[in-house]
Amino acid sequence: MIMDSGQVTSQPLQIHKPSAEFFSWEYRLHLIAAGFGFYTAVFLLSHFLSVGLSRTYKSLPAKEKVFWNLAATRGVFGLQSTVAGLRALTEESMLFRDRVSGQEDWSWFHVLTATGFFVFENVALHTSSVAFWSFDLPLATHHFFALAGYAGAVVWDSTGHFLPMVTLLMEMSTPFTCISWMLLKAGYAHTFFWKANQWVMIHMFHCRMVLSYYMWFFSCTHWREINAHVSLPQRLLFFPGLVLLTFVLNPIWTHKKTMQLLNPVDWNFGNKPVPVNGPKKDKSHTN
């Protein structure tokens, strides 16, 4: 609004558009590949550091070593996702002002690198399933919806990025899940630090549930705009995925993490009992 000679005149709102390079498929594919390469590097770095520093890691079966490195990789992605989600919710950006169709350069970066991460996750999950003759249906379903949803946001590029960024905030629990599982395998599940981390992790899972309720509230209050600006394939992916998270995965995982606090067992591998104070009491090595 502009005051001129006692009269109020309106000035059109200047709408920020993402840089033109984000609409180049070559640039998009480069960032997706960069995301895939970065998280593959995190996975490998976790392996090499753990081989050199952790007796616990060296004592694990091959399948659990893969899970250890995946937990570390998911933890790093969780940090990126938490920053992206909180920025979308708290920063006065185009995403916040136009929550259905708004986009920013930084949101494009997270959409593309997250797509690369979910490609990595699916490759790692299915390769591990074939190698070890095992299959985690809930996790595979979750990863399918994650990859399909973010790949869809790349293909149907008129879709706003507010919901994709808020969805990334669901990963807020993964750093604490990583710490919990590694300390559990090292035999420190009865320490104060592990229990404190477990309490925070359980709180994060409850926050995930509240966040899913917020996404339902947002979708219901912006139903017309979503139907107008979000493509049908995207809606067919998003809402079944949100149903799965809200009513199946989040409650199951929250329950399991809560029960794990009361009875520390490794439910990822058949409720195996865990060692106490590490597999070997050797103070000259890091557990």
Side-chain angles (χ1 to χ4, degrees), residues 231-248:
S231 66
L232 179 60
Q234 278 290 83
R235 282 177 277 151
L236 291 177
L237 285 169
F238 175 74
F239 288 111
L242 188 56
V243 167
L244 182 69
L245 271 175
T246 307
F247 301 109
V248 181

Side-chain angles (χ1 to χ4, degrees), residues 113-185:
T113 52
T115 303
F117 169 77
F118 289 124
V119 172
F120 162 79
E121 271 277 23
N122 278 272
V123 169
L125 175 66
H126 296 299
T127 302
S128 176
S129 297
V130 171
F132 300 111
W133 290 97
S134 62
F135 186 68
D136 188 334
L137 181 59
L139 190 62
T141 305
H142 171 59
H143 287 171
F144 165 78
F145 277 105
L147 177 57
Y150 282 87
V154 177
V155 174
W156 289 282
D157 52 21
S158 62
T159 302
H161 290 168
F162 179 75
L163 279 177
M165 293 302 100
V166 174
T167 303
L168 283 181
L169 191 53
M170 290 280 184
E171 301 292 327
M172 71 179 93
S173 60
T174 54
F176 304 98
T177 303
C178 169
I179 294 170
S180 171
W181 192 79
M182 288 184 177
L183 290 179
L184 188 78
K185 300 306 291 187

Side-chain angles (χ1 to χ4, degrees), residues 105-121:
D105 288 353
W106 63 265
S107 66
W108 263 112
F109 172 83
H110 288 296
V111 165
L112 293 169
T113 52
T115 303
F117 169 77
F118 289 124
V119 172
F120 162 79
E121 271 277 23

